[in-house]
Each structure stands twice: as structure tokens, then as C-alpha cells.
């Protein structure tokens, strides 16, 4: 099946991609491999041509999963992965030194079973390594034919500008949804100015904008156990605001997740959301959004709903926030 496409630098991808992280970790126990393989292939069957993984996802396991699941269909999709954020002895580390990037990339190519990654991100900024050195190493990987384009993830506008001055950046990836608006502070403006595509992860609010989260109780290993806005004293307030969002979706005749994705798609034609899911029915619902028409007046209501101090609580824990440089709103970090 075909789907509307969008451009990310020199890459042409489906208007809605697939974030693959939660097939290996992040939101509790991962699905059985057979279920994950079926979901990945169903995504390709439905015209999703943009798959996003990373070295840290499942500590390499997610890249190996994609190898087993869909590399026999390699010509059908654009492959994105990431380096710098990794795990050593079970602890997350940042290492953007050129020699580490080279090793991580070579390991990723082996895990994925491919000779080239289309979009390779610096997953997080490493405060110990100038961004110029890291981007320089990725530019050499392009020359060597190991990657096609360079991306940045969860970095602020000044860092994006410094990186782009070394080598053209194809995409910036950050969390963006109706209730996470941080990229609007400066990053989206920098991307528009520099001609960089924007990839929105968690575009349905880590499940909060899907109509499925009703209590602040999550499975063991679910990252939302550590995220302030998903826990009390913030959760009950946020759930009340989300109920208003769900009413807008019901009145518009679309699922809440489709309203969230439709809003993200409407923000700019250079934005590509990459919702993740472990459920094929939700996958089909998400991807169907590309063909759904939502009235501009409804989108304007969504835009107005989550502004100012509507949402309470930071989007990251203190430790996780220390690993990103994305701009924050006044009072967001408490």
C-alpha cells in the first residue's frame, strides 16, 4: 500500500513512521518476538517506509530484531538508528568520542545485517565531546558509505546550528505532541531556517493521548514510573485536561491518537511523527491518520488546549533531563 510521503533532507519517507523502541524495552515487558515480527511486517505492508531504532534500544536487541524481522525487505524502507547513548554494565552512558562512534556504528551494521544506515543520529549530546568532533566523525562515515545522512536527537537550537556548520544535518528528533511543545521554543525555528527535517517521537504523549491511560500505575520497567507528569501529584490534573482532548476527538469522529497525530502532521510538512506501538490494531489506527481529514477549527482547539501551564510536571526525571539540552519552559523543571 502507498502512503503520503514527506522529505527529510535527501530522504523520502512515509508521512508517519514507526518508532521501534517499545518492541524491545521502555514500556514494560516487550512482546514475544513473533508478535514484534508480525507488527513490523504489517507496518511495511501498510506503506510505512520509515523505521527508527537505536543502539540503546534493548541494548542492541532492537537492531537485531529488525535484522531478523524485515531486512529481507530492506529496499522497502528508510532505516534510522542512533549512537552515543548506550549501556555499559546495565548503566546508561553518553560517549560521543569519534572512536566510540566508529565502534558503535560498525556493531550496529552487524546487528542490523546491512551495509548502510540511511539516517544515523547522535542520540544525545555528550558534554565531554564538542559536537563538531562527533559530526565530523559521522561525515567520515558518509564518505565511507556506512551511512547516508546525519541526525541529531534531543539537542537545543545552538547545538543544532554548530553541528550544521560542520556538515548538513538531515533531521532533528525530539519529543513533540500536543502536550509536549518544547521544540516550539527554538528548535523548530532553527530547523525551518536551516532546511532540516524534524522527526517527532512520542507524538501520542507516551500513550497519554490515546485514551488508554487512566491510572498512574504501570508495569515494572515502564519508564513512565519515573516521569513526573505521569505520576502524582501531577497525574490527576493532567488526566482531567486530557479528558477535554478526548472529547474533542470524539466530537471530530476520530480516535484520540489520530487527533494527536493529525495535529503533529498539520504543524509543518517537514515534520514526520514516529509513534510506537506493540499492538497491530493501534498500528493500523495510527497509520490510517495519514488519510484522515481533520477540520482546521478542531486542530486550533487542540493547539489552544495544551498551552501555558496546562500540563503539570516535567517530561523527564532529573537524571534523564541531565542527558538532554532541549529548551524548557519557565517553571517546567519545578
Amino acid at each position: 500500500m502507498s502512503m503520503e510521503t514527506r522529505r527529510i533532507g535527501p530522504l523520502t519517507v512515509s508521512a508517519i513512521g514507526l518508532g521501534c523502541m517499545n518492541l524491545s524495552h521502555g514500556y514494560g515487558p516487550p512482546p514475544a518476538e513473533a508478535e514484534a515480527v508480525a507488527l513490523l511486517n504489517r507496518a511495511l505492508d501498510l506503506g510505512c517506509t520509515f523505521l527508527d531504532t537505536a543502539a540503546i534500544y534493548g541494548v542492541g536487541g532492537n537492531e537485531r530484531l529488525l535484522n531478523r524481522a524485515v531486512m529481507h525487505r530492506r529496499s522497502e524502507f528508510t532505516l534510522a538508528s542512533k549512537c552515543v547513548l548506550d549501556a555499559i554494565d546495565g548503566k546508561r552512558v553518553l560517549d560521543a568520542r569519534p572512536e566510540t562512534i566508529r565502534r558503535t556504528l560498525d556493531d550496529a551494521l552487524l546487528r542490523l545485517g546491512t551495509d548502510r544506515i540511511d539516517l544515523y543520529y547522535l542520540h544525545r549530546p555528550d558534554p565531554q565531546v564538542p559536537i563538531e568532533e562527533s559530526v565530523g566523525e559521522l561525515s567520515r562515515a558518509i564518505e565511507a558509505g556506512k551511512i547516508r545522512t546525519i541526525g541529531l536527537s534531543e539537542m537545543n537550537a545552538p547545538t543544532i546550528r554548530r553541528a550544521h556548520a560542520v556538515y548538513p544535518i538531515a533531521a532533528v528528533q525530539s519529543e513533540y505532541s500536543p502536550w509536549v511543545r518544547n521544540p516550539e521554543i527554538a528548535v523548530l525555528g532553527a530547523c525551518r531556517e536551516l532546511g532540516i527535517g524534524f522527526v517527532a517521537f512520542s507524538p501520542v504523549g507516551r500513550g497519554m493521548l490515546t485514551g488508554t491511560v487512566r491510572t498512574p500505575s504501570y508495569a515494572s520497567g515502564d519508564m513512565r514510573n519515573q516521569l513526573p507528569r505521569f505520576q502524582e501529584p501531577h497525574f490527576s490534573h493532567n488526566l482531567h485536561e486530557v479528558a477535554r482532548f478526548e472529547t474533542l476527538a470524539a466530537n471530530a469522529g476520530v480516535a484520540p491518537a489520530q487527533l494527536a497525530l493529525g495535529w503533529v502532521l498539520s504543524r509543518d510538512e517537514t515534520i514526520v511523527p514516529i509513534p510506537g506501538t506493540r499492538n497491530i490494531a493501534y498500528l493500523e489506527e495510527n497509520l490510517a491518520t495519514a488519510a484522515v481529514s481533520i477540520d482546521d477549527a478542531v486542530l486550533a482547539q487542540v493547539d489552544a488546549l495544551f498551552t501555558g501551564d496546562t500540563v503539570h510536571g516535567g517530561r523527564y526525571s532529573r537524571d534523564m533531563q541531565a542527558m538532554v539540552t532541549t529548551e524548557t519552559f519557565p517553571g517546567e523543571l519545578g
Side-chain angles (χ1 to χ4, degrees):
M1 296 178 65
S2 62
M3 184 191 296
E4 172 193 346
T5 60
R6 293 190 168 190
R7 296 281 293 179
I8 299 177
L11 307 173
T12 299
V13 301
S14 54
I16 300 174
L18 178 65
C20 300
M21 181 187 75
N22 61 2
L23 297 176
S24 296
H25 85 262
Y27 296 97
E33 179 162 319
E35 296 175 9
V37 169
L39 185 141
L40 288 163
N41 280 278
R42 181 59 175 157
L44 296 184
D45 292 343
L46 291 171
C48 175
T49 65
F50 189 30
L51 304 183
D52 182 275
T53 183
I56 190 67
Y57 299 165
V59 193
N62 199 250
E63 290 176 326
R64 287 189 286 269
L65 171 64
L66 264 64
N67 184 354
R68 295 189 292 270
V70 293
M71 280 303 157
H72 64 289
R73 303 176 67 174
R74 181 67 181 90
S75 64
E76 298 179 41
F77 63 92
T78 295
L79 174 64
S81 193
K82 311 175 190 74
C83 60
V84 176
L85 178 58
D86 213 332
I88 297 178
D89 297 327
K91 183 178 180 181
R92 287 191 170 203
V93 297
L94 297 176
D95 191 342
R97 292 175 296 172
E99 60 269 28
T100 303
I101 289 174
R102 283 196 298 275
R103 183 171 63 250
T104 302
L105 173 56
D106 286 343
D107 289 347
L109 291 171
L110 288 174
R111 288 190 293 261
L112 287 161
T114 188
D115 59 359
R116 187 166 66 168
I117 296 170
D118 299 305
L119 174 58
Y120 204 52
Y121 293 92
L122 300 173
H123 202 161
R124 293 290 189 272
D126 182 349
Q128 304 303 316
V129 181
I131 192 69
E132 291 82 358
E133 292 185 17
S134 303
V135 172
E137 179 57 35
L138 290 185
S139 73
R140 290 186 285 276
I142 290 177
E143 294 171 357
K146 295 181 179 182
I147 65 175
R148 290 180 63 192
T149 61
I150 298 171
L152 308 175
S153 179
E154 290 283 62
M155 300 189 193
N156 61 22
T159 304
I160 294 167
R161 294 179 191 281
R162 286 171 52 199
H164 193 73
V166 175
Y167 196 92
I169 302 301
V172 169
Q173 181 175 144
S174 278
E175 184 176 1
Y176 190 46
S177 72
W179 88 327
V180 172
R181 309 289 283 274
N182 300 71
E184 295 176 3
I185 300 173
V187 166
L188 287 175
C191 288
R192 282 192 293 269
E193 177 188 333
L194 300 173
I196 299 172
F198 185 86
V199 176
F201 76 77
S202 297
V204 295
R206 302 186 187 275
M208 196 68 175
L209 303 181
T210 65
T212 62
V213 180
R214 289 291 180 262
T215 66
S217 300
Y218 314 98
S220 176
D222 191 314
M223 67 173 62
R224 290 172 293 187
N225 286 307
Q226 308 299 322
L227 304 182
R229 64 181 52 184
F230 286 90
Q231 295 294 324
E232 300 295 4
H234 307 301
F235 180 85
S236 294
H237 167 86
N238 293 336
L239 186 63
H240 176 75
E241 299 301 324
V242 167
R244 298 168 61 195
F245 172 81
E246 293 173 5
T247 297
L248 287 177
N251 291 340
V254 297
Q258 291 181 320
L259 182 56
L261 289 168
W263 180 89
V264 173
L265 288 168
S266 75
R267 305 304 284 175
D268 194 287
E269 63 182 12
T270 63
I271 296 177
V272 177
I274 52 168
T277 183
R278 295 178 293 188
N279 183 299
I280 286 182
Y282 291 153
L283 170 76
E284 293 171 345
E285 178 181 276
N286 291 342
L287 295 181
T289 308
V292 170
S293 177
I294 301 174
D295 191 90
D296 289 344
V298 175
L299 297 173
Q301 288 178 286
V302 173
D303 192 48
L305 181 59
F306 294 109
T307 57
D309 61 353
T310 301
V311 181
H312 289 187
R315 68 186 185 97
Y316 278 145
S317 67
R318 187 177 300 274
D319 288 345
M320 295 171 75
Q321 185 67 41
M323 286 190 166
V324 306
T325 58
T326 42
E327 291 83 355
T328 57
F329 291 101
E332 179 182 341
L333 304 183

